[in-house]
């Protein structure tokens, strides 16, 4: 398809596109008003109208709302993409992208073409963001030959009101937004497909580099280096419990902290200084020197953007950014509600803006006036967007504020309800009055040189905090996440009534506490996303992918919910920083994000944006290829670790599985060991001995080792003695036979009980009378085949590559699955079950439906609509 950026109307055979510079709008209606008058005409007629969306769930929601008069088809994500086997960017021809129909999407595309042939008009209703615009563009490019009117509609909320507004004012495909998406793909491809092979050659296969992910890894590594180089500084604090000297008010006890000594800010660095100060305080008399009371306001936060939604999901619930976005996608696309069918509960969840539509503000005000009249402000609060953000969509909010979280108890599963409550509460609080409280500060002077300070607060008006059912003092842990609350601990208690000039006395001796300064904490998902956002790295829609990628590539790992760089991550980061200083430069990456935004705004063309990046990058790449990047595979790093066999100092090398230790006396001694981290630093892995097992050749103890086929016993004298044998011993199952429940049919041959046994292809059913009866059967899963009218059951089967799962009615039904099915429906597309599979070192549950893309984190329960 050829689309030219000219003011003249596009030919009817091509999808109409909008090439004028976009301007921030006040509402979805005003955004398309400049073009709608020319082509809107009457509202879309149901008969002969085809609407194409991205997901099957969104298609079901639209079908329920619009009725059978409209035909709705789902593209199930992108129909076209860059080829997986090559870079797909023509570096010699203005960086032209070579899109192809995605694997497995030919059938979907044929179905869309077939539906389009019988349609009178076609509406492209993919998501209203860069990715959605690109999807609409690619679909349009495949349908232009049909000579049908093709229009773009932006559905910001999947409600009757939102859909009607979108269909009433169709617009054009925004070429600037498409170009911005193309530029991002081109830059990411250029980096990934040129640097990654270099890392395979110099470090190990399977590594990858990314324009944004590598900067995120650098932030984690830089923070780790700060922590390592940090030198703690000792300091002491002294507190004193006091009360008025008047016996009638002896119950008015409060706590004050030493603030100044001889008028200077207190600085106590040693235990001796602290004890000297305590001894002096014991002999002092005190009086109230000054009192001050100031009214303070705590403003509600703006409504949620994508970034803040991900941060709050991580902070409050310890959700990964990916999981938070999956749950938000589900709420946007629609949830089955009793008597209402598939209903969208929130507006579009990918947005940088804190703007709210006027009708949304009125909806909130009506609800607040009815339920919390004391928290209703005279007019709706206005929030300012940050400079340079995309204001195409309003902030994330509920589609109907009357649909309270409490009304959805028992309808939404726990995790969906948590995210919905977060969005609903944030939206409503943003339209309420601020909380007001009285902050009291008391200065207590000693008759020598010490001055104490006490603070407290008293709530005057809870304002928006009334929605939380507290006065804002709580600092409890929220749902197992990080602490919430903004006030300092010493401000949380109300002070007793005190008078200026009155004497006070100590209730108990002063308490001195030792402290040490601490470095900045390691990033968690919330703080890393916040750092990326503040530095302009990536965009909110990419943060979830960034978090997932750096974990999957094993560049970082999570410990106690914090990111720690792995040795591999630090090694790769060091190589990339040395060889590609611009690529790993935070300011440079942020500037590239601004250039992509300029493409979307029409201020810069695609070719220039990509060229500005590629020219300096190609010079760094040539230098790295020519020897500028160190080849770790060819290097041996000396260590002080002696070889456990011959005593020669070992060297650190890199192999296909990462770093390892090898004897420095190679090839005379071929001893190798994995590296493990100990309190004293890196050390060779100590292999566990098998109790009572000795080598039959040399008599040395046997140790348990792991190989590609599992555990086995090997002589501890390796490589001098290479004796091995199976472990567990042959004939002894690693998993003992377990009787199955009574409903499992008995052996069909002899009537004996069937038990579980484990073989080279996994677990299976075997007759308990083995070896007299050698009957075996696949282990049942209890999960029915999803093919319509099949009636079979998914069972394990043996193949050339091990165990896989398929229908029991094969060959009548040839459906197969690569992993064990788990009886949990997919929370995104509703598929009847999920598939368990390995992803690196983790076990994940993923949806087998092509194009769905759902995947749960390790150990997480997938969200399921009740």
């Amino acid at each position: 398809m050829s689309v030219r950026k000219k003011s003249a109307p596009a030919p009817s055979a091509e999808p109409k596109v909008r090439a004028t510079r976009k301007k921030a709008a006040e509402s979805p209606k005003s955004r398309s008003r400049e073009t709608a008058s020319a082509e809107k005409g009457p509202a879309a007629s149901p008969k002969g109208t085809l609407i194409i969306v991205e997901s099957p769930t969104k298609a079901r929601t639209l079908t329920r709302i619009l009725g059978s008069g409209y035909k709705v088809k789902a593209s199930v994500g992108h129909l076209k993409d860059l080829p997986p086997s090559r870079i797909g960017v023509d570096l010699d021809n203005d960086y032209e992208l070579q899109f192809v129909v995605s694997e497995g999407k030919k059938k979907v595309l044929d179905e869309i073409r077939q539906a389009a042939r019988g349609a009178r008009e076609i509406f492209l209703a993919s998501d209203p963001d860069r990715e959605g615009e690109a999807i609409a563009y690619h679909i349009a490019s495949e349908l232009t030959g049909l000579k049908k009117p093709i229009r773009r509609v932006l559905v910001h909320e999947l409600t009757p009101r939102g859909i009607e507004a979108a269909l009433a004012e169709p617009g054009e495909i925004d070429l600037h937004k498409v170009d911005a998406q193309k530029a991002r793909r081109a830059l990411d491809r250029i980096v990934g497909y040129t640097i990654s092979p270099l890392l395979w050659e110099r470090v190990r296969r399977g590594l990858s580099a990314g324009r944004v992910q590598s900067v995120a890894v650098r932030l984690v590594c830089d923070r780790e280096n700060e922590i390592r180089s940090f030198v703690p500084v000792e300091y002491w604090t002294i507190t004193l419990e006091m009360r008025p000297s008047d016996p009638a008010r002896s119950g008015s006890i409060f706590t004050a902290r030493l603030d100044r000594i001889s008028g200077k800010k207190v600085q106590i660095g040693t235990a001796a200084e602290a004890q000297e100060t305590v001894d002096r305080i014991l002999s002092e008399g005190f009086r109230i020197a000054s009192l001050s009371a100031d009214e303070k306001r705590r403003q509600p936060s703006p409504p949620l953007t994508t970034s803040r939604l991900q941060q709050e999901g991580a902070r409050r619930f310890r959700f990964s950014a990916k999981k938070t976005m999956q749950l938000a996608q589900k709420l946007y696309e629609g949830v089955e509600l009793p008597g209402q069918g598939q209903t969208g509960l929130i507006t579009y969840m990918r947005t940088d803006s804190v703007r709210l539509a006027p009708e949304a503000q009125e909806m909130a005000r009506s609800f607040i006036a009815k339920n919390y009249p004391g928290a209703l402000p005279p007019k709706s609060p206005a929030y300012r967007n940050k400079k340079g953000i995309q204001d195409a969509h309003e902030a994330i909010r509920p589609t109907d504020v009357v649909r309270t979280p409490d009304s959805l108890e028992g309808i939404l599963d726990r995790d969906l309800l948590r995210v919905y409550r977060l969005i609903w509460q944030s939206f409503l609080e943003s339209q309420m009055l601020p909380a007001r409280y009285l902050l009291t500060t008391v200065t207590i002077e000693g008759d020598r040189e010490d001055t104490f300070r006490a603070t407290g607060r008293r709530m005057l008006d809870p304002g928006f905090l009334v929605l939380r059912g507290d006065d804002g003092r709580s600092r409890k842990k929220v749902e197992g996440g990080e602490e919430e609350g903004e006030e300092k601990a010493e401000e949380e208690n109300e002070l007793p009534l005190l008078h200026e000039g009155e004497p006070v006395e100590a209730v108990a001796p002063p308490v001195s506490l030792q402290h040490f300064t601490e470095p900045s904490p390691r990033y968690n998902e919330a703080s890393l996303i916040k750092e990326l956002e503040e530095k302009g790295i990536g965009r909110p829609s990419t943060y979830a992918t960034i978090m997932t990628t750096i974990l999957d590539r094993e560049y970082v790992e999570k410990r106690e919910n914090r990111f720690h760089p792995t040795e591999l991550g630090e090694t790769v980061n060091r190589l990339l920083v040395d060889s590609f200083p611009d690529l790993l430069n935070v300011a440079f990456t942020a500037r590239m994000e601004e250039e992509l935004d300029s493409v979307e705004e029409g201020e810069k063309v695609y070719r220039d944006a990509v060229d500005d990046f590629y020219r300096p990058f190609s010079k760094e790449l040539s230098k790295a290829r020519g020897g500028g990047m160190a080849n770790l595979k060819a290097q041996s790093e000396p260590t002080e670790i002696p070889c456990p066999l011959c005593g020669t100092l070992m060297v650190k090398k890199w192999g296909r599985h990462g770093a390892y230790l090898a004897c420095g006396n190679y090839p005379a001694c071929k001893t190798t060991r994995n590296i493990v981290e100990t309190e004293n630093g890196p050390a060779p892995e100590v292999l566990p001995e098998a109790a009572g097992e000795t080598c039959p050749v040399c008599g040395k103890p046997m140790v348990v080792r792991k190989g590609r086929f599992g555990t086995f016993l090997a002589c501890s004298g390796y490589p001098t003695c290479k004796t091995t044998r199976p472990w567990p011993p042959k004939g002894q199952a690693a998993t003992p036979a377990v009787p199955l429940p009574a409903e499992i049919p008995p052996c069909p041959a002899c009537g004996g009980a069937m038990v579980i046994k484990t073989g080279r292809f996994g677990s299976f059913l075997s007759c308990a009378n083995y070896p007299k009866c050698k009957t075996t059967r696949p282990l049942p899963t209890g999960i029915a085949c999803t093919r319509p009218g099949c009636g079979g059951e998914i069972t394990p089967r043996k193949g050339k590559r091990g165990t896989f799962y398929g229908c029991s009615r094969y060959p009548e039904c040839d459906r197969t699955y690569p992993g064990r099915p788990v009886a949990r429906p997919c929370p995104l597309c509703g598929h009847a079950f999920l598939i368990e599979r390995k992803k690196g070192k983790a076990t994940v549950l993923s949806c087998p439906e092509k194009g769905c893309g759902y995947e749960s984190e390790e150990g997480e329960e997938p969200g399921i609509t009740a």
Side-chain angles (χ1 to χ4, degrees):
M1 178 188 66
S2 173
V3 181
R4 299 183 182 275
K5 297 180 182 178
K6 294 183 178 181
S7 58
S12 60
E14 297 180 347
K16 292 185 177 180
V17 294
R18 175 179 163 204
T20 54
R21 180 179 174 183
K22 303 189 316 327
K23 296 181 180 179
E26 294 302 319
S27 70
K29 287 186 178 182
S30 62
R31 268 193 298 278
S32 57
R33 193 165 293 152
E34 66 188 68
T35 56
S37 59
E39 61 176 351
K40 177 178 67 173
S45 171
K47 188 175 181 180
T49 298
L50 171 65
I51 301 177
I52 304 173
V53 297
E54 288 185 38
S55 77
T57 304
K58 191 174 179 180
R60 287 193 293 270
T61 304
L62 279 170
T63 299
R64 182 192 67 80
I65 293 174
L66 294 173
S68 58
Y70 290 87
K71 193 165 189 176
V72 185
K73 301 291 287 185
S75 68
V76 197
H78 283 272
L79 285 177
K80 301 175 76 173
D81 201 355
L82 297 174
S85 59
R86 61 181 190 277
I87 189 171
V89 183
D90 191 340
L91 302 176
D92 299 319
N93 187 22
D94 288 342
Y95 309 104
E96 182 180 340
L97 298 184
Q98 300 156 356
F99 286 100
V100 296
V101 176
S102 302
E103 184 179 357
K105 290 299 182 70
K106 186 177 184 304
K107 183 179 179 181
V108 176
L109 181 56
D110 289 343
E111 291 176 356
I112 290 176
R113 280 202 193 102
Q114 185 62 33
R117 288 189 185 98
R120 183 176 58 84
E121 59 183 350
I122 301 167
F123 286 169
L124 304 176
S126 49
D127 289 350
D129 59 9
R130 285 178 183 170
E131 293 297 319
E133 208 71 23
I135 290 172
Y137 178 82
H138 290 144
I139 293 173
S141 70
E142 293 293 325
L143 301 181
T144 50
L146 301 178
K147 313 276 188 192
K148 306 279 183 173
I150 301 175
R151 298 174 181 174
R152 177 78 166 113
V153 292
L154 302 178
V155 182
H156 296 275
E157 58 178 88
L158 289 173
T159 60
R161 178 185 64 246
I163 295 170
E164 181 182 359
L167 295 180
E169 296 195 9
E172 303 168 336
I173 295 174
D174 188 340
L175 265 189
H176 297 319
K177 191 176 286 186
V178 173
D179 280 350
Q181 192 270 350
K182 286 169 58 180
R184 182 179 296 277
R185 292 302 313 279
L187 297 184
D188 291 344
R189 272 293 173 118
I190 289 171
V191 172
Y193 276 65
T194 56
I195 298 183
S196 297
L198 198 56
L199 293 176
W200 299 355
E201 176 189 322
R202 308 294 169 92
V203 186
R204 81 175 202 202
R205 290 193 64 82
L207 300 182
S208 72
R211 185 179 57 86
V212 177
Q213 79 176 49
S214 296
V215 178
V217 173
R218 179 178 186 174
L219 291 175
V220 175
C221 292
D222 287 349
R223 178 61 56 88
E224 194 69 21
N225 291 332
E226 288 177 23
I227 293 171
R228 287 172 184 160
S229 61
F230 182 81
V231 179
V233 176
E234 180 183 7
Y235 70 98
W236 290 73
T237 59
I238 297 176
T239 57
L240 185 63
E241 283 194 335
M242 297 181 173
R243 65 186 175 192
S245 299
D246 183 357
R249 300 173 58 216
S250 60
S252 301
I253 299 174
F254 62 96
T255 300
R257 174 178 288 188
L258 182 62
D259 184 56
R260 294 181 181 274
I261 299 176
S262 299
K264 297 181 179 180
K265 199 70 177 176
V266 63
Q267 289 183 335
I268 301 175
T270 65
E273 291 179 23
Q275 187 59 50
E276 179 185 344
T277 305
V278 168
D279 293 341
R280 184 176 65 248
I281 292 171
L282 288 172
S283 63
E284 283 188 90
F286 295 94
R287 67 178 185 86
I288 304 296
S290 64
L291 288 167
S292 65
D294 298 310
E295 182 178 314
K296 300 290 184 180
R297 295 188 173 219
R298 179 179 168 185
Q299 299 289 344
S301 298
L304 291 174
T305 60
T306 303
S307 172
R308 277 197 54 236
L309 174 64
Q310 293 172 353
Q311 292 176 47
E312 291 299 306
R315 187 178 69 84
R316 298 193 185 197
F317 316 128
R318 292 197 173 178
F319 287 170
S320 66
K322 179 179 179 180
K323 179 173 181 177
T324 299
M325 293 307 292
Q326 286 176 337
L327 293 168
Q329 182 90 29
K330 175 73 172 174
L331 293 171
Y332 165 70
E333 292 183 344
V335 173
E336 191 73 24
L337 299 181
Q340 301 177 52
Q342 202 87 9
T343 304
L345 299 184
I346 64 170
T347 55
Y348 192 58
M349 65 287 162
R350 291 187 177 90
T351 176
D352 295 342
S353 177
V354 295
R355 173 181 57 81
L356 290 172
E359 54 266 31
Q361 292 177 316
E362 286 305 313
M363 176 176 65
R365 291 182 64 80
S366 297
F367 186 88
I368 296 168
K370 182 178 179 180
N371 297 278
Y372 306 99
L376 182 67
K379 63 179 183 178
S380 296
Y383 298 95
R384 297 182 62 182
N385 283 318
K386 295 180 181 178
K387 182 180 178 181
I389 68 98
Q390 302 299 304
D391 194 34
H393 322 299
E394 60 177 314
I396 308 170
R397 62 170 176 83
T399 55
D400 187 352
V401 75
V402 176
R403 196 178 287 117
T404 65
D406 290 342
S407 70
L408 298 175
E409 288 272 6
I411 299 174
L412 301 183
D413 77 87
R414 180 170 177 257
D415 289 347
L416 275 174
L417 186 60
R418 287 158 118 184
V419 174
Y420 181 75
R421 188 183 298 277
L422 171 62
I423 294 170
W424 182 89
Q425 182 174 304
S426 177
F427 165 65
L428 211 56
E429 285 182 356
S430 73
Q431 300 303 297
M432 296 174 120
L433 284 170
R436 295 188 302 113
Y437 58 92
L438 192 67
L439 180 65
T440 306
T441 303
V442 180
T443 302
I444 305 102
E445 287 185 350
D447 52 19
R448 296 179 67 180
E449 53 185 303
D450 299 306
T451 302
F452 283 78
R453 186 173 180 267
T455 57
R457 68 170 186 165
R458 177 167 59 87
M459 184 62 69
L460 301 176
D461 181 2
F464 73 93
L465 293 175
V466 71
L467 199 61
R468 306 184 186 187
D470 66 17
D471 61 0
R473 296 182 184 182
S474 171
R475 294 177 62 85
K476 64 184 178 182
K477 292 233 175 191
V478 184
E479 306 250 14
E482 304 294 328
E483 290 182 352
E484 73 169 353
E486 299 176 1
E487 287 66 42
K488 296 179 181 178
E490 63 266 23
E491 295 178 0
E492 294 187 354
N493 295 316
E494 188 173 344
L495 292 175
L497 182 63
L498 300 170
H499 304 287
E500 193 169 314
E502 73 172 314
V504 291
E505 61 186 17
V507 176
V511 176
S512 59
L513 294 175
Q514 183 186 38
H515 308 273
F516 291 91
T517 56
E518 296 182 352
S520 300
R522 293 179 176 89
Y523 293 109
N524 56 20
E525 286 218 11
S527 58
L528 183 54
I529 288 172
K530 184 178 181 180
E531 186 80 357
L532 291 171
E533 182 182 36
E534 289 179 350
K535 293 184 179 301
I537 307 300
R539 285 295 175 259
S541 60
T542 66
Y543 294 153
T545 304
I546 294 170
M547 302 296 120
T548 302
T549 301
I550 63 177
L551 284 167
D552 288 347
R553 298 296 181 185
E554 299 180 1
Y555 293 149
V556 302
E557 60 185 2
K558 275 188 178 180
R559 298 184 217 155
E560 298 179 349
N561 206 40
R562 298 278 175 178
F563 286 124
H564 293 248
T566 62
E567 182 185 19
L568 175 64
E570 292 191 270
T571 300
V572 170
N573 177 68
R574 185 170 60 252
L575 292 176
L576 293 180
V577 170
D578 291 343
S579 300
F580 300 94
D582 281 345
L583 179 66
L584 273 291
N585 183 280
V586 172
F588 175 81
T589 306
R591 190 166 66 251
M592 285 310 306
E593 294 292 346
E594 293 174 358
E595 292 223 351
L596 293 175
D597 292 340
S598 297
V599 175
E600 183 167 341
E601 293 295 328
E603 297 171 352
K604 193 160 193 170
V605 298
Y606 162 80
R607 180 195 176 282
D608 291 346
V610 179
D611 195 60
D612 287 347
F613 171 84
Y614 182 69
R615 287 191 179 278
F617 171 77
S618 61
K619 294 178 181 178
E620 292 182 347
L621 182 64
S622 298
K623 185 178 179 181
R625 285 172 172 170
M629 178 182 285
N631 189 344
L632 297 186
K633 286 185 177 181
Q635 294 180 355
S636 296
E637 182 181 332
T639 74
E640 297 299 320
I641 301 171
C643 172
L645 191 62
C646 70
T648 305
L649 291 182
M650 305 189 83
V651 295
K652 181 179 176 181
K653 290 190 171 187
W654 284 84
R656 60 184 299 182
H657 299 296
Y660 68 96
L661 293 173
C663 181
N665 195 26
Y666 179 88
C669 179
K670 299 179 180 178
T671 302
T672 62
R673 288 289 187 271
N674 291 331
I675 301 176
V676 294
E677 288 294 330
T678 68
E679 293 181 357
N680 299 321
E685 179 185 29
V686 178
L687 300 175
E689 293 187 5
E693 298 289 339
T694 58
C695 176
V697 176
C698 68
K700 291 185 178 180
M702 300 290 280
V703 293
V704 180
R705 303 195 71 169
K706 291 182 179 179
R708 58 182 301 192
F709 298 112
T711 58
F712 63 97
L713 287 185
C715 179
S716 58
Y718 178 87
T720 303
C721 180
K722 299 181 180 179
T723 304
T724 63
R725 70 172 190 258
W727 184 264
K730 191 173 182 180
Q732 176 184 332
T735 304
V738 180
L740 290 171
E743 60 266 21
I744 300 296
C747 173
C750 69
M754 300 296 285
V755 294
I756 299 177
K757 288 190 176 181
T758 303
R760 61 179 298 195
F761 294 108
S763 299
F764 61 96
L765 286 179
S766 174
C767 180
N769 294 328
Y770 180 86
K772 291 182 180 180
C773 180
K774 298 182 180 180
T775 302
T776 61
R777 285 168 47 196
L779 196 66
T781 63
I783 297 177
C785 178
T786 56
R787 183 173 180 174
C790 174
E793 179 183 342
I794 306 300
T795 59
R797 289 161 57 185
K798 297 176 184 177
K800 292 181 180 180
R801 298 182 181 178
T803 301
F804 67 97
Y805 289 79
C807 182
S808 59
R809 295 192 68 247
Y810 178 83
E812 288 85 357
C813 178
D814 59 359
R815 291 208 170 179
T816 61
Y817 303 92
R820 182 177 70 88
V822 178
R824 296 173 187 161
C826 175
L828 292 187
C829 72
H831 192 275
F833 57 85
L834 299 173
I835 292 296
E836 183 182 85
R837 63 185 183 87
K838 286 287 185 182
K839 187 172 184 180
K841 296 181 180 180
T843 300
V844 299
L845 295 178
S846 59
C847 181
E849 187 71 28
K850 287 185 178 181
C852 173
Y854 174 79
E855 183 177 279
S856 72
E857 299 293 321
E858 181 182 11
E860 290 181 351
E861 292 291 327
I864 303 172
T865 304

